[in-house]
Amino acid sequence: MIQDTVLVVTLVLMGAIVAAFLFVAINAKNDGGEYAPIQGRAYAIRSKLFWVLVVAGVLITTVTTLDLPYAATRGEMAGVDKQIDINGKQWYWEIADTSAKVGETVVFNVSAGDVTHGLGVYDQDMRIIGQTQAMPGYANSLKLTFDKPGNYKLMCMEYCGVAHHAMVSDFTVTE
Ligand SMILES: [Cu+2]
């Protein structure tokens, strides 16, 4: 799971920062030595590190945003197996088709008939795999590929009135 990887990487990096602080704190007791040469070296490292971080930041941002499921909103329909219209209303979903096959790439064209709703798609472990706003007069397209069979849930993610919590529908993915 990507969340677990992110957690481990975060903990490792936090550990590295803590170790750096401890190293500085422990070594701060020695006040011997000239400050200027150390400062010179530190500034040289810092200016290199700055550019490393800039390049890393641009690369990481680019790579991690390429995979956002909103390509369909920009009209990119290559590799799409089916499109399903979904209309949110107080307090139910009108869904043109409630099933897909494993491996299929589906584009949900999401709109709303009264007030603003939010469509969240959850897998069988109740992990959210995609979401988009459902707005009257607009169609937002959410592109998802279903890798695992099972019973998925479509739930409203925007408070829309007293029965908001009841806006739950099933979506079945078969082998
Ligand atoms: Cu709602």
Side-chain angles (χ1 to χ4, degrees):
M1 288 293 165
I2 186 126
Q3 286 95 335
D4 298 330
T5 312
V6 170
L7 177 65
V8 170
V9 169
T10 306
L11 289 175
V12 167
L13 291 176
M14 284 167 73
I17 292 168
V18 169
F21 270 90
L22 285 176
F23 177 80
V24 171
I26 290 162
N27 287 284
K29 286 171 195 146
N30 324 321
D31 61 348
E34 290 294 317
Y35 186 59
I38 299 170
Q39 195 178 37
R41 258 184 296 147
Y43 284 1
I45 293 168
R46 188 174 69 173
S47 58
K48 281 198 194 82
L49 190 59
F50 172 77
W51 289 109
V52 168
L53 289 175
V54 167
V55 171
V58 168
L59 280 177
I60 290 168
T61 304
T62 306
V63 169
T64 54
T65 51
L66 280 178
D67 212 25
L68 287 178
Y70 303 113
T73 298
R74 303 189 299 268
E76 295 169 26
M77 289 295 175
V80 173
D81 296 298
K82 69 157 97 173
Q83 295 195 49
I84 298 174
D85 290 343
I86 298 188
N87 201 25
K89 290 186 176 168
Q90 289 168 315
W91 288 276
Y92 58 96
W93 297 106
E94 280 177 353
I95 310 167
D97 185 350
T98 57
S99 68
K101 291 199 176 67
V102 169
E104 273 188 332
T105 297
V106 176
V107 166
F108 293 105
N109 295 314
V110 183
S111 191
D114 38 40
V115 299
T116 298
H117 301 272
L119 176 79
V121 182
Y122 292 77
D123 69 9
Q124 47 275 56
D125 301 321
M126 291 310 281
R127 278 186 188 239
I128 192 163
I129 60 167
Q131 64 89 24
T132 192
Q133 198 104 24
M135 298 182 289
Y138 293 87
N140 286 326
S141 298
L142 176 65
K143 185 180 181 181
L144 293 173
T145 302
F146 292 96
D147 301 325
K148 287 179 286 183
N151 185 33
Y152 291 69
K153 296 263 186 239
L154 309 180
M155 300 207 284
C156 189
M157 301 194 68
E158 175 103 26
Y159 182 70
C160 57
V162 288
H164 157 71
H165 60 279
M167 283 184 71
V168 182
S169 290
D170 292 309
F171 189 83
T172 312
V173 176
T174 54
E175 293 279 7

